[in-house]
């Protein structure tokens, strides 16, 4: 899922200075199997939206020379055409694992149908579990985006591995966009970051399942890794990922600075802040932007920088606070 103003294909934005440059040129041919890395194929589902960009990319990882084993990463939403395209691409292979990065409806629901068609186990992230926001109940969060029917046969934790022929996929816990989010590394060469990093947009962090501090820590975590090629679930590949991830971190820190400034200048509600933080954003997208601001404010509350006002959906800086680095 994309975030706030950065998901507009028109390109209008109020991104903080230093933000990464997003690539909006990706144009998939739906249902077509495309090689995107050694032993990796991609098929894009035709489910474009403001949150999925051109659609969900499903990846097929094969086992290399002499192997007829394969794994599927993020089967996608319930879509018969997409299921048929995946099964067609798997012709001649034995599907050994169905991997899921997280349980949003554009990633995991088709896993069950793929399991029934192939007998392969559903592996990867844990089942979704509701969580509380630091700032209190979220009246309009994105919990409805989660696939509550997802039931994995095996759950992977940080550092767990599976072999696909001569290749190895490693799970990397990357909570933030979703509490159960995993990325997958192929032999420390290619990273499948799911929705944690996307080349076309920043990532939505929607409380209560989305958590800003976890997201920032997960960005730092993958920044320290070796992979030089990212294949996100939405949009095109990222070929200079370390520079790009540093830009994402800068973007979020600068957005936080803007929010602290709004609080200093007397704004107390998110609805007051959003038009000033995102002056070029279509009003129809203010809800998504508000979720991002809420995630930042939750983080400020957790760090003792901001507080709720008398239990209302209003906030202020803690008197005499000192800015604390992450």
């Amino acid at each position: 899922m994309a975030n706030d103003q950065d998901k507009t294909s028109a390109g209008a934005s109020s991104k903080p200075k230093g933000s990464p440059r997003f690539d909006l040129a990706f144009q998939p041919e739906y249902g077509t199997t495309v090689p995107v890395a050694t032993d990796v194929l991609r098929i894009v589902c035709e489910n474009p939206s403001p949150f999925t960009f051109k659609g969900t990319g499903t990846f097929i990882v094969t086992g290399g020379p002499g192997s007829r084993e394969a794994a599927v990463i993020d089967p996608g939403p319930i879509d018969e055409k997409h299921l048929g395209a995946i099964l067609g691409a798997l012709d001649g292979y034995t599907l050994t694992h169905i991997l899921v990065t997280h349980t949003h409806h554009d990633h995991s629901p088709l896993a069950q149908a793929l399991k029934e068609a192939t007998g392969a186990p559903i592996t990867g992230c844990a089942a979704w579990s509701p969580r509380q926001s630091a700032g209190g109940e979220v009246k309009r969060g994105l919990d409805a985006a989660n696939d509550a029917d997802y039931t994995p046969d095996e759950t992977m934790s940080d550092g767990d591995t599976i072999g696909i022929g001569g290749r190895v996929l490693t799970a990397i816990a990357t909570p933030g966009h979703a509490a159960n989010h995993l990325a997958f590394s192929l032999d420390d060469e290619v990273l499948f970051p799911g929705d944690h990093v996307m080349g076309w947009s920043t990532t939505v962090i929607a409380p209560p399942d989305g958590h800003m501090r976890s997201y920032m820590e997960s960005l730092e975590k993958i920044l320290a890794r070796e992979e030089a090629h990212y294949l996100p679930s939405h949009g095109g590949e990222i070929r200079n990922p370390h520079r790009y991830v540093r830009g994402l971190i800068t973007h979020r820190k600068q957005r936080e600075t803007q929010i602290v400034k709004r609080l200093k200048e007397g704004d107390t509600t998110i609805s007051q802040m959003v038009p000033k933080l995102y002056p070029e954003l279509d009003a129809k997208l203010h809800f998504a932007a508000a979720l991002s601001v809420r995630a930042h404010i939750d983080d400020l509350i957790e760090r003792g920088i901001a507080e709720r006002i008398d239990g209302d959906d209003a906030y202020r800086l803690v008197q005499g606070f000192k800015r604390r680095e992450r």
Side-chain angles (χ1 to χ4, degrees), residues 1-3 6-8 15 19-26 42 51-55 59 191-203 215 219 222 229-241 243-245 247-248:
M1 290 188 178
N3 187 29
D6 300 323
K7 63 176 172 286
T8 58
K15 294 182 293 183
S19 297
R21 181 173 294 179
F22 301 120
D23 180 7
L24 301 178
F26 181 65
R42 179 179 61 207
F51 287 103
T52 62
F53 191 39
K54 302 298 183 179
F59 297 95
L191 187 73
F192 302 91
D195 283 3
H196 186 64
V197 175
M198 298 182 292
W200 75 282
S201 170
T202 54
T203 297
Y215 170 75
L219 285 179
I222 63 170
H229 186 190
Y230 285 12
L231 292 171
S233 294
H234 304 288
E237 61 189 335
I238 302 172
R239 282 288 188 178
N240 192 353
R243 180 179 178 181
Y244 188 82
V245 170
L248 292 176

Side-chain angles (χ1 to χ4, degrees), residues 68-69 153 195:
R68 302 309 294 173
E69 292 185 344
D153 298 295
D195 283 3

Side-chain angles (χ1 to χ4, degrees), residues 261-322:
K261 181 179 179 181
R262 297 303 338 142
L263 291 168
K264 282 183 177 179
E265 295 187 1
D267 287 353
T268 59
T269 66
I270 293 173
S271 61
Q272 289 174 322
M273 297 179 201
V274 167
K276 299 170 186 176
L277 293 170
Y278 307 93
E280 299 173 5
L281 181 65
D282 188 327
K284 295 177 182 178
L285 301 177
H286 279 189
F287 167 57
L291 291 170
S292 178
V293 175
R294 178 58 181 270
H296 275 292
I297 289 178
D298 278 1
D299 186 40
L300 293 171
I301 291 171
E302 290 174 358
R303 292 156 56 201
I305 295 172
E307 61 187 359
R308 290 174 63 86
I309 299 175
D310 299 327
D312 295 328
D313 195 15
Y315 311 91
R316 64 189 173 199
L317 293 175
V318 172
Q319 188 172 3
F321 88 97
K322 291 183 180 181

